[in-house]
Coordinates of all heavy atoms in Angstrom, one line a residue:
M1 N 51.1 9.0 31.4 CA 50.6 7.8 30.9 C 49.1 7.6 31.4 O 48.3 7.3 30.5 CB 51.4 6.6 31.5 CG 50.9 5.3 30.9 SD 52.2 4.6 29.9 CE 51.5 3.1 29.5
V2 N 48.8 8.0 32.6 CA 47.4 7.9 33.1 C 46.6 8.9 32.3 O 45.4 8.5 31.9 CB 47.4 8.3 34.6 CG1 46.0 8.4 35.1 CG2 48.2 7.2 35.3
E3 N 47.1 10.0 32.0 CA 46.3 11.1 31.2 C 46.0 10.6 29.8 O 45.0 10.7 29.3 CB 47.1 12.4 31.2 CG 46.2 13.5 30.8 CD 46.9 14.8 30.9 OE1 47.5 15.1 31.9 OE2 46.9 15.6 29.8
N4 N 47.1 9.9 29.2 CA 47.0 9.4 27.8 C 45.8 8.3 27.8 O 45.0 8.2 26.8 CB 48.2 8.9 27.3 CG 48.1 8.5 25.9 OD1 47.3 9.0 25.2 ND2 49.1 7.9 25.4
S5 N 45.8 7.4 28.8 CA 44.9 6.3 28.8 C 43.4 6.9 29.1 O 42.5 6.4 28.5 CB 45.1 5.3 29.9 OG 45.0 5.8 31.2
R6 N 43.3 7.9 29.8 CA 42.1 8.7 30.0 C 41.5 9.2 28.7 O 40.3 9.1 28.4 CB 42.2 9.8 31.1 CG 42.1 9.3 32.5 CD 42.1 10.4 33.4 NE 42.3 10.0 34.8 CZ 42.6 10.8 35.8 NH1 42.6 12.2 35.6 NH2 42.7 10.3 37.1
D7 N 42.4 9.9 28.1 CA 42.0 10.4 26.7 C 41.5 9.4 25.7 O 40.6 9.5 25.0 CB 43.2 11.2 26.1 CG 43.5 12.4 27.0 OD1 42.7 12.9 27.7 OD2 44.6 13.0 26.8
A8 N 42.3 8.2 25.7 CA 41.9 7.1 24.9 C 40.6 6.5 25.3 O 39.8 6.3 24.4 CB 43.0 6.0 24.9
A9 N 40.4 6.4 26.4 CA 39.1 5.9 27.0 C 37.9 6.8 26.6 O 36.9 6.4 26.2 CB 39.0 5.6 28.5
R10 N 38.2 8.0 26.9 CA 37.2 9.2 26.5 C 36.9 9.1 25.1 O 35.7 9.2 24.6 CB 37.6 10.5 26.9 CG 36.6 11.6 26.6 CD 37.1 12.9 27.1 NE 36.8 13.0 28.5 CZ 35.8 13.7 29.2 NH1 35.1 14.4 28.3 NH2 35.6 13.7 30.4
A11 N 37.9 8.9 24.1 CA 37.7 9.0 22.7 C 36.9 7.7 22.3 O 36.0 7.8 21.5 CB 39.1 8.9 22.0
R12 N 37.2 6.5 22.9 CA 36.4 5.3 22.6 C 35.0 5.5 23.2 O 34.1 5.0 22.3 CB 37.2 4.0 23.4 CG 38.4 3.6 22.8 CD 38.8 2.2 23.3 NE 38.9 2.1 24.8 CZ 39.9 2.4 25.4 NH1 41.2 2.9 24.8 NH2 39.9 2.4 26.8
A13 N 34.8 6.0 24.3 CA 33.5 6.2 24.7 C 32.7 7.3 23.8 O 31.5 7.0 23.5 CB 33.5 6.8 26.2
D14 N 33.5 8.3 23.4 CA 32.7 9.2 22.5 C 32.3 8.5 21.2 O 31.3 8.7 20.6 CB 33.6 10.4 22.2 CG 33.7 11.4 23.3 OD1 32.8 11.3 24.3 OD2 34.6 12.2 23.4
L15 N 33.3 7.8 20.6 CA 33.0 7.0 19.4 C 31.9 6.0 19.6 O 30.9 6.0 18.6 CB 34.2 6.2 19.0 CG 34.3 5.5 17.6 CD1 33.9 6.5 16.6 CD2 35.6 4.8 17.3
R16 N 31.8 5.3 20.6 CA 30.7 4.4 21.0 C 29.4 5.1 21.0 O 28.5 4.7 20.5 CB 31.0 3.7 22.3 CG 30.1 2.4 22.5 CD 30.4 1.7 23.7 NE 31.7 1.5 24.0 CZ 32.3 1.8 25.2 NH1 31.7 2.4 26.1 NH2 33.6 1.6 25.2
F17 N 29.4 6.3 21.7 CA 28.2 7.0 21.7 C 27.8 7.6 20.4 O 26.5 7.5 20.1 CB 28.5 8.3 22.8 CG 27.3 9.2 22.9 CD1 26.2 8.7 23.7 CD2 27.2 10.4 22.2 CE1 25.1 9.6 23.8 CE2 26.1 11.2 22.4 CZ 25.0 10.9 23.1
K18 N 28.7 8.1 19.6 CA 28.3 8.5 18.3 C 27.8 7.5 17.5 O 26.7 7.7 16.7 CB 29.5 9.1 17.7 CG 29.9 10.5 18.2 CD 31.1 11.0 17.4 CE 31.7 12.4 18.1 NZ 32.8 12.8 17.5
K19 N 28.2 6.2 17.6 CA 27.7 5.1 16.8 C 26.4 4.8 17.3 O 25.5 4.4 16.5 CB 28.7 3.9 16.9 CG 29.9 4.0 16.1 CD 30.8 2.7 16.3 CE 32.0 2.8 15.3 NZ 32.9 1.5 15.5
Q20 N 26.1 4.7 18.5 CA 24.8 4.4 19.1 C 23.8 5.5 18.7 O 22.6 5.1 18.4 CB 24.8 4.2 20.7 CG 25.5 3.1 21.2 CD 25.7 3.1 22.7 OE1 25.5 4.1 23.3 NE2 26.0 1.9 23.1
E21 N 24.2 6.7 18.6 CA 23.3 7.8 18.3 C 22.9 7.8 16.7 O 21.8 7.9 16.4 CB 23.9 9.2 18.6 CG 23.9 9.6 20.0 CD 22.5 9.7 20.5 OE1 21.8 10.6 19.9 OE2 22.2 9.4 21.6
E22 N 23.9 7.4 16.0 CA 23.8 7.3 14.5 C 22.8 6.1 14.2 O 21.8 6.2 13.4 CB 25.1 7.0 13.8 CG 24.9 7.0 12.4 CD 26.2 6.8 11.6 OE1 27.2 7.4 12.1 OE2 26.3 6.0 10.6
A23 N 23.1 5.0 15.0 CA 22.2 3.8 14.8 C 20.7 4.1 15.2 O 19.8 3.7 14.6 CB 22.7 2.6 15.6
A24 N 20.5 4.8 16.3 CA 19.2 5.3 16.7 C 18.5 6.2 15.7 O 17.3 6.1 15.4 CB 19.2 5.9 18.1
T25 N 19.3 7.0 15.1 CA 18.7 7.9 14.1 C 18.3 7.1 12.9 O 17.2 7.4 12.3 CB 19.7 9.0 13.7 OG1 20.1 9.8 14.8 CG2 19.2 9.9 12.7
V26 N 19.1 6.2 12.4 CA 18.7 5.4 11.3 C 17.6 4.5 11.6 O 16.6 4.3 10.7 CB 20.0 4.4 11.0 CG1 19.6 3.4 10.0 CG2 21.1 5.2 10.4
R27 N 17.4 3.9 12.8 CA 16.2 3.2 13.1 C 15.0 4.1 13.2 O 14.0 3.6 12.6 CB 16.5 2.5 14.5 CG 17.2 1.3 14.6 CD 17.1 0.7 16.1 NE 17.5 1.5 17.1 CZ 18.7 1.5 17.6 NH1 19.7 0.8 17.0 NH2 19.0 2.3 18.7
Q28 N 15.2 5.3 13.7 CA 13.9 6.2 13.7 C 13.4 6.5 12.2 O 12.3 6.5 11.9 CB 14.3 7.4 14.5 CG 14.5 7.2 15.9 CD 14.8 8.4 16.8 OE1 15.3 9.4 16.1 NE2 14.7 8.5 17.9
K29 N 14.5 6.8 11.3 CA 14.2 7.1 10.0 C 13.5 5.9 9.2 O 12.5 6.1 8.6 CB 15.4 7.5 9.2 CG 15.3 8.0 7.9 CD 16.5 8.4 7.2 CE 16.3 8.8 5.8 NZ 17.5 9.1 5.0
A30 N 14.1 4.8 9.5 CA 13.5 3.6 8.8 C 12.1 3.3 9.4 O 11.3 2.9 8.6 CB 14.4 2.4 9.1
M31 N 11.8 3.5 10.7 CA 10.5 3.3 11.2 C 9.6 4.3 10.7 O 8.4 4.0 10.5 CB 10.6 3.4 12.8 CG 9.3 2.9 13.4 SD 9.0 1.2 13.0 CE 7.6 0.9 13.7
A32 N 9.9 5.5 10.5 CA 9.1 6.5 10.0 C 8.7 6.3 8.5 O 7.6 6.4 8.1 CB 9.9 8.0 10.1
E33 N 9.6 5.8 7.8 CA 9.4 5.3 6.4 C 8.4 4.2 6.4 O 7.5 4.2 5.5 CB 10.6 5.0 5.6 CG 11.5 6.1 5.3 CD 12.8 5.7 4.6 OE1 13.1 4.5 4.4 OE2 13.7 6.7 4.4
Y34 N 8.6 3.3 7.3 CA 7.8 2.1 7.4 C 6.3 2.5 7.7 O 5.4 2.0 7.0 CB 8.3 1.0 8.3 CG 7.4 0.0 8.6 CD1 7.2 -1.2 7.8 CD2 6.6 -0.1 9.8 CE1 6.4 -2.2 8.0 CE2 5.7 -1.2 10.1 CZ 5.7 -2.2 9.1 OH 4.8 -3.2 9.4
V35 N 6.1 3.3 8.6 CA 4.8 3.8 9.0 C 4.2 4.6 7.9 O 2.9 4.5 7.6 CB 4.9 4.6 10.4 CG1 3.6 5.4 10.6 CG2 5.3 3.8 11.5
A36 N 4.9 5.5 7.2 CA 4.4 6.3 6.2 C 3.9 5.3 5.0 O 2.8 5.6 4.4 CB 5.4 7.3 5.6
E37 N 4.7 4.4 4.7 CA 4.3 3.5 3.5 C 3.1 2.6 4.0 O 2.1 2.3 3.2 CB 5.5 2.4 3.2 CG 6.6 3.1 2.6 CD 7.8 2.1 2.3 OE1 7.7 0.9 2.8 OE2 8.8 2.6 1.8
S38 N 3.0 2.2 5.3 CA 1.8 1.5 5.8 C 0.5 2.4 5.7 O -0.4 1.9 5.2 CB 2.1 1.1 7.3 OG 1.0 0.4 7.8
D39 N 0.8 3.6 6.2 CA -0.5 4.5 6.1 C -0.9 4.7 4.7 O -2.1 4.7 4.4 CB -0.1 5.8 6.8 CG 0.1 5.7 8.3 OD1 -0.3 4.7 8.9 OD2 0.6 6.7 8.9
A40 N 0.1 4.9 3.8 CA -0.3 5.1 2.4 C -1.0 3.8 1.8 O -1.9 4.0 1.1 CB 0.9 5.6 1.6
R41 N -0.5 2.8 2.1 CA -1.1 1.5 1.7 C -2.6 1.4 2.2 O -3.4 0.9 1.4 CB -0.3 0.2 2.1 CG -0.8 -1.1 1.6 CD 0.1 -2.3 2.0 NE 1.5 -1.9 1.7 CZ 2.3 -1.8 2.8 NH1 2.0 -2.0 4.1 NH2 3.6 -1.7 2.6
Q42 N -2.7 1.7 3.6 CA -4.2 1.6 4.1 C -5.0 2.7 3.4 O -6.2 2.2 3.2 CB -3.9 1.9 5.6 CG -5.2 1.6 6.3 CD -5.6 0.2 6.3 OE1 -4.8 -0.7 6.4 NE2 -7.0 0.0 6.2
V43 N -4.6 3.8 3.1 CA -5.4 4.8 2.5 C -5.9 4.3 1.2 O -7.1 4.4 0.6 CB -4.8 6.2 2.5 CG1 -5.4 7.1 1.5 CG2 -4.6 6.8 3.8
K44 N -4.8 3.8 0.4 CA -5.2 3.4 -1.0 C -6.1 2.0 -0.9 O -7.0 2.0 -1.8 CB -3.8 2.9 -1.7 CG -4.1 2.4 -3.1 CD -2.6 2.1 -3.7 CE -2.9 1.8 -5.1 NZ -1.5 1.5 -5.8
T45 N -6.0 1.2 0.0 CA -6.8 0.1 0.3 C -8.2 0.5 0.5 O -9.3 0.0 -0.1 CB -6.3 -0.9 1.4 OG1 -5.0 -1.3 0.9 CG2 -7.2 -2.1 1.5
N46 N -8.4 1.4 1.4 CA -9.7 2.0 1.8 C -10.4 2.6 0.6 O -11.6 2.3 0.4 CB -9.6 2.9 3.0 CG -9.3 2.2 4.1 OD1 -9.4 1.0 4.4 ND2 -8.8 2.9 5.2
K47 N -9.6 3.3 -0.3 CA -10.2 4.0 -1.4 C -10.6 2.9 -2.4 O -11.9 3.0 -2.9 CB -9.2 4.9 -2.1 CG -9.6 5.6 -3.3 CD -8.5 6.5 -3.8 CE -9.0 7.0 -5.2 NZ -7.9 7.7 -5.8
L48 N -9.9 2.0 -2.6 CA -10.3 0.9 -3.7 C -11.5 0.1 -3.2 O -12.3 -0.2 -4.0 CB -9.0 0.0 -3.9 CG -7.9 0.6 -4.7 CD1 -6.7 -0.3 -4.6 CD2 -8.3 1.0 -6.1
R49 N -11.5 -0.1 -1.8 CA -12.6 -0.9 -1.3 C -13.9 0.0 -1.5 O -15.0 -0.7 -1.9 CB -12.3 -1.2 0.2 CG -13.5 -1.9 0.8 CD -13.2 -2.3 2.4 NE -12.2 -3.2 2.4 CZ -11.0 -3.0 3.3 NH1 -10.9 -1.9 4.0 NH2 -10.2 -4.0 3.3
A50 N -13.8 1.2 -1.1 CA -15.0 2.0 -1.3 C -15.5 2.0 -2.9 O -16.7 2.0 -3.1 CB -14.7 3.4 -0.9
L51 N -14.4 2.3 -3.8 CA -14.9 2.1 -5.1 C -15.5 0.9 -5.6 O -16.5 0.8 -6.3 CB -13.6 2.4 -6.0 CG -13.2 3.8 -6.0 CD1 -11.8 3.9 -6.6 CD2 -14.0 4.8 -6.6
R52 N -14.8 -0.3 -5.0 CA -15.4 -1.6 -5.3 C -16.9 -1.7 -4.8 O -17.8 -2.2 -5.6 CB -14.6 -2.7 -4.9 CG -15.1 -4.1 -5.0 CD -14.2 -5.2 -4.5 NE -13.8 -5.0 -3.1 CZ -14.6 -5.4 -2.1 NH1 -15.7 -5.9 -2.2 NH2 -14.2 -5.1 -0.8
L53 N -17.1 -1.4 -3.6 CA -18.5 -1.5 -3.0 C -19.4 -0.6 -3.8 O -20.5 -1.0 -3.9 CB -18.4 -1.1 -1.4 CG -17.6 -2.1 -0.6 CD1 -17.4 -1.6 0.8 CD2 -18.2 -3.5 -0.7
A54 N -19.0 0.5 -4.1 CA -19.9 1.4 -4.9 C -20.3 0.8 -6.2 O -21.5 0.8 -6.6 CB -19.3 2.8 -5.1
K55 N -19.4 0.3 -6.9 CA -19.5 -0.4 -8.2 C -20.5 -1.6 -8.1 O -21.4 -1.9 -8.8 CB -18.3 -0.8 -8.9 CG -18.5 -1.4 -10.3 CD -17.2 -1.9 -10.8 CE -17.3 -2.4 -12.2 NZ -18.4 -3.3 -12.4
E56 N -20.3 -2.5 -7.0 CA -21.1 -3.5 -6.8 C -22.5 -3.1 -6.5 O -23.4 -3.7 -7.0 CB -20.5 -4.4 -5.6 CG -19.4 -5.2 -6.0 CD -18.7 -5.9 -4.8 OE1 -19.2 -5.8 -3.7 OE2 -17.7 -6.6 -5.0
A57 N -22.7 -2.1 -5.7 CA -24.0 -1.6 -5.4 C -24.7 -1.1 -6.7 O -25.9 -1.3 -6.9 CB -24.0 -0.4 -4.3
E58 N -24.0 -0.4 -7.5 CA -24.5 0.2 -8.8 C -25.0 -1.0 -9.7 O -26.0 -1.0 -10.3 CB -23.6 1.1 -9.4 CG -24.0 1.7 -10.8 CD -23.0 2.5 -11.5 OE1 -21.9 2.9 -10.7 OE2 -23.1 2.6 -12.6
D59 N -24.1 -2.0 -9.7 CA -24.4 -3.1 -10.5 C -25.6 -3.9 -10.0 O -26.5 -4.3 -10.9 CB -23.2 -4.1 -10.7 CG -22.0 -3.5 -11.4 OD1 -22.2 -2.6 -12.1 OD2 -20.9 -4.2 -11.3
L60 N -25.7 -3.9 -8.8 CA -26.9 -4.7 -8.2 C -28.3 -3.9 -8.5 O -29.3 -4.4 -8.7 CB -26.7 -4.8 -6.7 CG -27.6 -5.8 -6.0 CD1 -27.5 -7.2 -6.5 CD2 -27.3 -5.8 -4.5
A61 N -28.1 -2.6 -8.4 CA -29.3 -1.7 -8.6 C -29.7 -1.7 -10.1 O -30.9 -1.6 -10.4 CB -28.9 -0.3 -8.1
N62 N -28.8 -1.8 -11.0 CA -29.0 -1.7 -12.4 C -29.2 -3.1 -13.0 O -29.6 -3.2 -14.2 CB -27.9 -1.2 -13.2 CG -27.7 0.4 -12.9 OD1 -28.7 1.0 -12.3 ND2 -26.6 0.9 -13.0
A63 N -29.1 -4.3 -12.3 CA -29.3 -5.5 -12.8 C -30.8 -5.8 -13.0 O -31.5 -5.4 -12.1 CB -28.7 -6.6 -11.7
P64 N -31.2 -6.3 -14.1 CA -32.5 -6.7 -14.4 C -32.9 -7.8 -13.4 O -32.1 -8.7 -13.1 CB -32.6 -7.1 -15.8 CG -31.1 -7.5 -16.1 CD -30.2 -6.7 -15.3
A65 N -34.2 -7.7 -13.0 CA -34.6 -8.8 -12.2 C -34.6 -10.1 -13.0 O -35.3 -10.2 -14.0 CB -36.1 -8.6 -11.6
A66 N -34.1 -11.1 -12.5 CA -34.0 -12.4 -13.2 C -35.3 -13.1 -13.0 O -35.9 -13.2 -11.9 CB -33.0 -13.3 -12.5
P67 N -36.0 -13.6 -14.1 CA -37.2 -14.3 -13.9 C -36.9 -15.5 -13.2 O -36.0 -16.2 -13.3 CB -37.7 -14.7 -15.4 CG -36.3 -14.5 -16.2 CD -35.5 -13.6 -15.5
A68 N -38.0 -15.9 -12.4 CA -37.9 -17.1 -11.6 C -37.9 -18.4 -12.5 O -38.9 -18.5 -13.3 CB -39.0 -17.1 -10.5
K69 N -37.0 -19.1 -12.4 CA -37.0 -20.4 -13.3 C -37.6 -21.6 -12.5 O -37.6 -21.6 -11.3 CB -35.5 -20.7 -13.5 CG -34.7 -19.8 -14.4 CD -33.4 -20.4 -14.8 CE -32.8 -19.4 -15.7 NZ -31.4 -19.8 -16.1
K70 N -38.2 -22.3 -13.2 CA -38.8 -23.6 -12.8 C -37.8 -24.5 -12.5 O -36.9 -24.7 -13.3 CB -39.9 -24.1 -13.6 CG -41.1 -23.2 -13.7 CD -42.2 -23.7 -14.7 CE -43.4 -22.8 -14.9 NZ -44.4 -23.5 -15.8
P71 N -37.9 -25.3 -11.5 CA -36.9 -26.3 -11.3 C -37.0 -27.4 -12.4 O -38.1 -27.8 -12.9 CB -37.3 -27.0 -9.9 CG -38.6 -26.5 -9.5 CD -38.9 -25.3 -10.4
V72 N -35.9 -27.8 -12.8 CA -35.7 -28.8 -13.9 C -35.9 -30.2 -13.3 O -35.2 -30.5 -12.3 CB -34.5 -28.7 -14.6 CG1 -34.3 -29.7 -15.6 CG2 -34.2 -27.3 -15.2
R73 N -36.9 -31.0 -13.9 CA -37.0 -32.3 -13.4 C -36.2 -33.2 -14.2 O -35.9 -33.1 -15.4 CB -38.5 -32.7 -13.6 CG -39.5 -31.9 -12.7 CD -40.9 -32.5 -12.9 NE -41.7 -32.3 -11.8 CZ -42.9 -32.6 -11.6 NH1 -43.4 -33.3 -12.5 NH2 -43.4 -32.3 -10.6
A74 N -35.9 -34.3 -13.6 CA -35.1 -35.3 -14.2 C -36.0 -36.0 -15.2 O -37.1 -36.4 -14.8 CB -34.5 -36.1 -13.1
K75 N -35.4 -36.4 -16.2 CA -36.2 -37.2 -17.3 C -36.3 -38.7 -16.8 O -35.3 -39.2 -16.3 CB -35.6 -37.1 -18.6 CG -35.6 -35.7 -19.1 CD -35.0 -35.5 -20.5 CE -35.1 -34.2 -21.2 NZ -34.6 -34.1 -22.5
K76 N -37.3 -39.2 -17.0 CA -37.5 -40.7 -16.9 C -37.0 -41.5 -18.0 O -37.1 -41.0 -19.1 CB -39.0 -41.0 -16.6 CG -39.5 -40.4 -15.3 CD -40.9 -41.0 -15.1 CE -41.5 -40.4 -13.8 NZ -42.9 -40.8 -13.5
K77 N -36.5 -42.5 -17.8 CA -35.9 -43.5 -18.9 C -37.1 -44.4 -19.2 O -37.8 -45.0 -18.7 CB -34.7 -44.1 -18.5 CG -33.6 -43.1 -18.5 CD -32.4 -44.0 -18.1 CE -31.1 -43.0 -18.1 NZ -29.9 -43.7 -18.0

């Protein structure tokens, strides 16, 4: 009887250990996916920002100089 309870306790401990190991593996995989998505999003954001800044600089360089306008005076009644 003592041997049987030891075997049962060992089996429960092994099962608990396997579940913990599996949970740790799942957490690690999920974290790796999260980090990969975050890195990809950051790369895409940086690329888009660079493109936007380049376009704004080009638009600014190609924009005709606006003539200075005289301030509009209010009409007297």
Side-chain angles (χ1 to χ4, degrees):
M1 181 115 177
V2 173
E3 192 172 312
N4 191 16
S5 65
R6 281 186 188 167
D7 291 341
R10 178 175 285 252
R12 285 192 308 271
D14 286 341
L15 183 62
R16 189 177 322 125
F17 178 76
K18 286 179 184 177
K19 284 183 180 180
Q20 288 174 347
E21 286 293 311
E22 184 178 324
T25 303
V26 169
R27 279 193 302 271
Q28 288 173 345
K29 183 178 177 183
M31 192 62 184
E33 289 175 4
Y34 172 77
V35 169
E37 288 174 4
S38 177
D39 290 345
R41 186 179 311 113
Q42 188 65 36
V43 167
K44 186 175 181 181
T45 299
N46 290 339
K47 179 182 174 184
L48 291 172
R49 180 178 291 128
L51 290 171
R52 177 181 50 84
L53 291 174
K55 183 181 182 318
E56 287 176 357
E58 182 183 337
D59 290 346
L60 192 62
N62 292 337
K69 293 185 177 180
K70 294 181 182 179
V72 177
R73 291 184 156 185
K75 294 182 180 180
K76 292 184 179 181
K77 289 187 178 182

